[in-house]
Amino acid sequence: METAKQRAERFREALRLEGNKLIRPKRMRPVKGRFTLKGIWSSSVRSRHYSIKRKFTESEEIKTDRIELKPERFSLLINKAEEALIDVPAYLVKDPEFDGILRIPIIPSYRISMEKTSLEVSNDMEFAHLNLETNEWEIHGRSYVSIQNNRGARWN
């Protein structure tokens, strides 16, 4: 018996990307909509657990073997308490062979740029320096810290 994970992998392997079009192996009946996921910590006297609520809201059914991918609004929010909210465009497959598989294509419509690529904080002989670099898809960097007495320059 094939597991849900194996079925999803088989579906993923059957897809092709040609330019901005997602090509499926055959004509299918995906339903376009939005997928929302909320993750929340809750506590009782004796335990603490993380609960996840998922919801797919349908907008239209599509009968085709190709989906044109274009940038759409999406959100990913995580706070300090590790609570999360994800809201993304998605396609839910309704065909018997792949029923229940959710495809979430996220196409960024933004460009990352910065005026300054470094930040330095110093006090006496202590300092902290952050170097940032960007490319089309990400922000990454390195931090250098020299703190002797843990006074003055600190990361918050």
Side-chain angles (χ1 to χ4, degrees):
M1 181 98 180
E2 188 177 42
T3 66
K5 182 179 178 181
Q6 290 168 329
R7 208 170 75 236
E9 279 294 318
R10 193 164 49 85
F11 179 72
R12 184 186 62 81
E13 289 168 2
L15 297 175
R16 287 188 344 264
L17 192 60
E18 288 181 6
N20 66 338
K21 290 186 174 58
L22 184 63
I23 313 296
R24 294 191 308 274
K26 62 179 184 175
R27 199 172 189 81
M28 294 181 174
R29 291 183 5 244
V31 176
K32 184 177 182 182
R34 295 205 63 87
F35 176 69
T36 306
L37 181 139
K38 293 179 184 179
I40 301 170
W41 280 104
S42 56
S43 302
S44 66
V45 176
R46 296 180 185 206
S47 68
R48 186 171 187 233
H49 71 280
Y50 198 76
S51 63
I52 296 176
K53 295 179 181 174
R54 298 175 282 277
K55 180 181 178 186
F56 179 77
T57 307
E58 231 176 88
S59 63
E60 66 180 296
E61 186 171 323
I62 302 166
K63 292 181 183 175
T64 181
D65 63 343
R66 12 187 115 231
I67 296 174
E68 186 174 342
L69 301 176
K70 59 185 181 216
E72 292 187 53
R73 177 186 60 84
F74 68 93
S75 302
L76 169 60
L77 307 167
I78 302 173
N79 66 16
K80 286 183 179 182
E82 297 176 357
E83 296 174 333
L85 172 63
I86 299 172
D87 178 51
V88 292
Y91 295 88
L92 180 63
V93 179
K94 295 280 192 166
D95 293 294
E97 185 181 4
F98 298 113
D99 189 41
I101 292 177
L102 192 65
R103 181 75 179 158
I104 304 172
I106 297 178
I107 311 298
S109 60
Y110 51 83
R111 191 173 67 85
I112 298 172
S113 65
M114 298 183 305
E115 276 187 38
K116 297 189 176 198
T117 59
S118 64
L119 171 68
E120 189 166 308
V121 180
S122 63
N123 183 27
D124 294 329
M125 297 300 290
E126 299 176 335
F127 73 90
H129 182 87
L130 175 64
N131 239 356
L132 293 173
E133 295 177 25
T134 63
N135 64 30
E136 189 177 356
W137 304 105
E138 66 184 349
I139 299 173
H140 59 276
R142 292 182 181 220
S143 62
Y144 306 92
V145 180
S146 173
I147 300 176
Q148 296 172 5
N149 297 322
N150 272 344
R151 296 176 308 201
R154 294 187 189 160
W155 291 106
N156 288 329

